[in-house]
Amino acid sequence: MYRSAIALLSLLATAAGAADYKPVRCMVRQAYAGRPLHAAIDVARPAAVPETALDPAITARLDTVLAMIRDKTQPGAMTAAVGITGKGLWTSDGTAAGPKLFWASAGKSFTAVVVLQLVQEHKLSLDDPISRWIENVPNGDVVTVRDLLAHTAGLFSANEDLTARADPRYRGPAETLAIARRHGAMFCPGANWRYSNTGYDLLGEIVRIVDGRSIDQAIAARIIVPLGLKTLRALPPGGGASGVAPLVSAQEKPIDPSWAGAAGPIVGSAGDMVRFWAALLDGRLIARSQVTAMTKTLYPMFDPGTYYGLGAMVFDLPDGARRILWIGHAGGTPGASALIVYAPADHAFAAVALTGDGSAVPAVNALLKAL
């Protein structure tokens, strides 16, 4: 059942496919006219995940499943964790000083949290037009901060540009915006949904302007340090990826993880990704009303059963006799795959990041099934 879901793990390296549209100029927002939305999900505040070992029987099952995953995926490097609310945490993270794993687009949730913190501090509004902060964005007078978070701005994603893909390197927000301007808007703000890494580049620029810090510095000061996440690091955009497990792919040349910028800045362990999401859903980073807003309006993504809110994804998929409902975020690029989710029915968080051409999605599913 996960064959289609695996497709969304190439979010940072989508093949160019936006040539067949006529750019649009819009003076007003348009009503959403895409595929049906998912009903709003109000995720109940989970109980804390204690920093204690899980029951030995559960640990043994998770260790067995992880060995099977490693055998099937043959990753160059891998980190995995499962946290059960009220019970404890299982990790296979290595040491804090070891190589850090790249979480690709799963790092968008960190950028989104920083933006939502600035909204909570009344330093910006989700309904601010982007032209208030950045000039020359296609339809910038009607594209809002909310649109960038939700991928409803209609902005072309610069990583889809064929010329850019033929010359892989770091491109800053000004350059990715120039590519998006050259292609023009794909639809009027609000009218549809399409994933855009360039939109998150612009969010990183808004953070820099409003908060006075680059996105990596803002994430460190606002999330990583307060939560004491010792293995996590936000990469400076384009600043290199020293200490990060090398991305390895037999299919396509991998990127340098720092090239993702605000669209995927996080490296570190699965255990700390569980700690981050547990803190987020608990209301320790943003108010619970803001947490609820992240999964209030859910747009259908590439594949049936996958939806996008404000920097958060929802998986609602059949799996034999059961139905899966997960809240979290996936990420992927040639040579790396990652997924962090909270499964309310299991009262559990699960996270996996790996290098190579394997997928983190079935790995996370297998770990949760072991519970």
Side-chain angles (χ1 to χ4, degrees):
M1 72 96 178
Y2 276 101
R3 290 177 183 173
S4 61
I6 290 171
L8 52 82
L9 291 177
S10 61
L11 297 181
L12 285 178
T14 308
D20 300 326
Y21 73 94
K22 183 177 180 180
V24 296
R25 299 187 65 180
C26 312
M27 302 303 295
V28 296
R29 298 181 59 76
Q30 289 187 2
Y32 178 71
R35 290 180 291 143
L37 302 177
H38 191 287
I41 293 178
D42 187 358
V43 184
R45 173 180 276 162
V49 177
E51 291 288 336
T52 55
L54 290 173
D55 177 270
I58 295 176
T59 297
R61 291 201 300 272
L62 292 172
D63 288 340
T64 298
V65 169
L66 182 66
M68 176 192 70
I69 293 168
R70 288 184 181 277
D71 183 62
K72 288 187 175 182
T73 60
Q74 295 293 308
M78 185 177 186
T79 177
V82 171
I84 304 178
T85 63
K87 293 187 177 181
L89 180 67
W90 168 88
T91 65
S92 177
D93 289 339
T95 66
K100 301 181 185 301
L101 274 289
F102 181 41
W103 289 85
S105 281
K108 281 182 170 67
S109 299
F110 288 74
T111 298
V113 166
V114 170
V115 170
L116 292 171
Q117 287 177 337
L118 293 172
V119 169
Q120 195 166 288
E121 294 162 10
H122 305 292
K123 295 178 179 177
L124 56 81
S125 167
L126 288 178
D127 297 319
D128 281 342
I130 301 310
S131 57
R132 176 177 177 183
W133 310 106
I134 301 172
E135 296 179 345
N136 299 319
V137 176
N139 301 322
D141 289 339
V142 286
V143 170
T144 66
V145 173
R146 189 190 310 272
D147 286 320
L148 297 185
L149 285 170
H151 301 292
T152 54
L155 292 180
F156 181 87
S157 192
N159 60 293
E160 296 188 50
D161 180 81
L162 292 176
T163 301
R165 289 174 67 80
D167 178 24
R169 58 179 174 80
Y170 173 67
R171 289 175 169 81
E175 191 170 357
T176 59
L177 175 57
I179 293 172
R181 290 186 63 218
R182 186 168 70 247
H183 284 270
M186 304 182 73
F187 50 83
C188 288
N192 215 321
W193 184 93
R194 186 178 173 91
Y195 202 86
S196 176
N197 287 309
T198 298
Y200 271 71
D201 279 343
L202 297 182
L203 287 171
E205 275 296 279
I206 291 171
V207 168
R208 182 186 64 78
I209 294 166
V210 175
D211 202 41
R213 294 181 280 206
S214 61
I215 189 62
D216 58 299
Q217 293 171 337
I219 289 172
R222 289 174 167 273
I223 299 174
I224 294 175
V225 172
L227 294 181
L229 304 178
K230 300 192 183 302
T231 74
L232 285 196
R233 179 157 58 101
L235 298 176
S242 175
V244 179
L247 277 56
V248 180
S249 174
Q251 300 173 1
E252 188 174 341
K253 184 177 180 179
I255 64 168
D256 179 309
S258 74
W259 295 354
I266 300 300
V267 297
S269 74
D272 273 352
M273 287 298 280
V274 166
R275 294 180 181 96
F276 162 70
W277 268 92
L280 171 57
L281 296 182
D282 187 44
R284 284 182 276 151
L285 292 171
I286 53 177
R288 281 287 304 170
S289 59
Q290 296 272 46
V291 175
T292 299
M294 293 180 77
T295 53
K296 182 178 181 181
T297 305
L298 294 168
Y299 298 92
M301 297 182 67
F302 313 107
D303 304 303
T306 59
Y307 301 86
Y308 207 91
L310 299 180
M313 288 174 57
V314 165
F315 296 73
D316 188 352
L317 298 158
D319 184 25
R322 68 173 183 154
R323 189 162 192 89
I324 285 174
L325 179 67
W326 294 342
I327 299 92
H329 210 296
T333 184
S337 176
L339 178 65
I340 165 68
V341 301
Y342 174 59
D346 299 314
H347 304 287
F349 296 85
V352 171
L354 55 86
T355 62
D357 292 321
S359 171
V361 177
V364 163
N365 191 36
L367 290 171
L368 287 172
K369 281 186 173 181
L371 302 182

